[in-house]
């Protein structure tokens, strides 16, 4: 399973690349706003961290676009900035159409804001390279998501679609494990989710316990 960092903060991304062997990054308008930088500055700086790699960076078109032609125009401009950029498009009729148009031009896409298996299926049919079901938002509303991911994985496998499934808006380590068990290709989560996932309090308890024994034992 691949781990993407859901962030536009250069320090977080650099740490994740160096220490966690991150496989990619996803950004969205909230992440870029949090970075405090202009949109193009923020995504150019992130691209700089990935130079010489083939790891994908998802960057989102202006969410005000409702016409697929406007989405495509901006996507072409963004894709020209970095070969790592994958264009995030919304799971709307216009977004699906933009996916297909960009596919013909060799520009990769990530269908975002997907909340149902039907939307994911349409993303796959239209040729999306990635589809991102947002499980955290659904679970906030009391909806189950394990079955959703299982359905999307089964649909992808039934028809051998090439689309990679990114389980997105992941809030905790249990959701990462559930996504892996369900066979999703990728999770994208925030810095703190990974930091907690890779750690366990008992590891530190055990280290302290073993250190005490170590200190009571001659080395030679
Ligand atoms: C995924 O690509 C999205 O950026 C992300 O998971 C959205 O969720 P959030 O902003 O609520 O964390």
């Amino acid at each position: 399973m691949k781990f993407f960092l859901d962030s536009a903060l250069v320090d977080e991304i650099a740490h994740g690349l160096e220490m966690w062997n991150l496989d990619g990054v996803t950004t969205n308008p909230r992440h870029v706003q949090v970075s405090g930088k202009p949109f193009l500055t923020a995504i150019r700086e992130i691209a700089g961290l990935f130079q010489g790699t083939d790891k994908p960076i998802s960057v989102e078109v202006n969410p005000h676009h409702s016409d697929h032609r406007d989405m495509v125009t901006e996507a072409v401009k963004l894709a020209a900035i970095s070969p790592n950029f994958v264009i995030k498009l919304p799971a709307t009729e216009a977004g699906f159409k933009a996916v297909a148009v960009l596919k013909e031009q060799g520009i990769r896409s990530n269908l975002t804001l997907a909340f149902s298996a039907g939307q994911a299926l349409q993303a796959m049919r239209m040729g999306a390279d990635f589809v991102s079901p947002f499980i955290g938002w659904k679970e906030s509303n009391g909806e189950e998501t394990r079955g959703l991911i299982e359905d999307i994985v089964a649909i992808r496998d039934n028809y051998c679609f090439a689309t990679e499934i990114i389980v997105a808006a992941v809030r905790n380590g249990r959701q990462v494990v559930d996504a892996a068990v369900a066979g999703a290709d990728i999770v994208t989560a925030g810095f703190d989710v990974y930091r907690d996932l890779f750690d366990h309090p008992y590891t530190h308890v055990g280290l302290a316990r073993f250190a005490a024994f170590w200190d009571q034992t001659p080395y030679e």
Side-chain angles (χ1 to χ4, degrees):
M1 164 170 269
K2 294 180 208 165
F3 285 162
F4 286 5
L5 188 65
D6 209 16
S7 173
L9 297 179
V10 167
D11 289 352
E12 285 188 355
I13 297 167
H15 180 93
L17 283 170
E18 182 186 355
M19 300 302 292
W20 301 341
N21 193 25
L22 275 184
D23 300 291
V25 159
T26 49
T27 66
N28 66 30
R30 181 179 71 81
H31 297 143
V32 176
Q33 190 274 334
V34 167
S35 79
K37 296 171 185 166
F39 173 64
L40 289 178
T41 304
I43 63 172
R44 280 196 181 107
E45 285 183 14
I46 297 168
L49 297 174
F50 286 79
Q51 250 175 1
T53 78
D54 61 358
K55 297 182 179 186
I57 304 162
S58 286
V59 296
E60 193 155 341
V61 295
N62 182 341
H64 291 290
H65 292 326
S66 54
D67 188 305
H68 75 271
R69 285 164 289 230
D70 295 329
M71 295 177 186
V72 168
T73 300
E74 189 181 6
V76 168
K77 176 180 160 186
L78 297 176
I81 295 173
S82 166
N84 299 83
F85 283 173
V86 170
I87 310 303
K88 260 185 167 180
L89 299 154
T92 60
E93 183 180 59
F96 294 129
K97 173 66 180 173
V99 164
V101 174
L102 291 171
K103 185 89 182 165
E104 286 172 9
Q105 300 183 33
I107 295 174
R108 293 181 295 167
S109 61
N110 174 1
L111 219 296
T112 190
L113 290 166
F115 293 93
S116 73
Q119 288 176 307
L121 172 55
Q122 179 64 344
M124 294 177 197
R125 289 187 61 257
M126 299 299 265
D129 297 271
F130 302 92
V131 62
S132 297
F134 276 32
I135 65 162
W137 293 23
K138 285 176 73 72
E139 292 192 7
S140 294
N141 288 338
E143 293 182 54
E144 75 81 34
T145 61
R146 275 175 82 159
L148 171 69
I149 301 306
E150 286 167 6
D151 283 354
I152 295 172
V153 170
I155 290 168
R156 196 270 315 272
D157 293 348
N158 281 349
Y159 298 100
C160 300
F161 287 118
T163 309
E164 291 191 81
I165 299 159
I166 306 178
V167 175
V170 167
R171 307 294 186 224
N172 58 59
R174 183 65 242 174
Q175 292 174 336
V176 174
V177 172
D178 285 346
V181 171
D185 304 284
I186 302 158
V187 287
T188 190
F191 190 87
D192 292 351
V193 172
Y194 288 119
R195 193 196 51 205
D196 291 347
L197 177 71
F198 302 149
D199 199 14
H200 197 286
Y202 275 6
T203 305
H204 300 287
V205 169
L207 275 173
R209 194 174 291 168
F210 289 160
F213 286 113
W214 180 273
D215 292 344
Q216 297 164 34
T217 309
Y219 197 72
E220 293 189 279

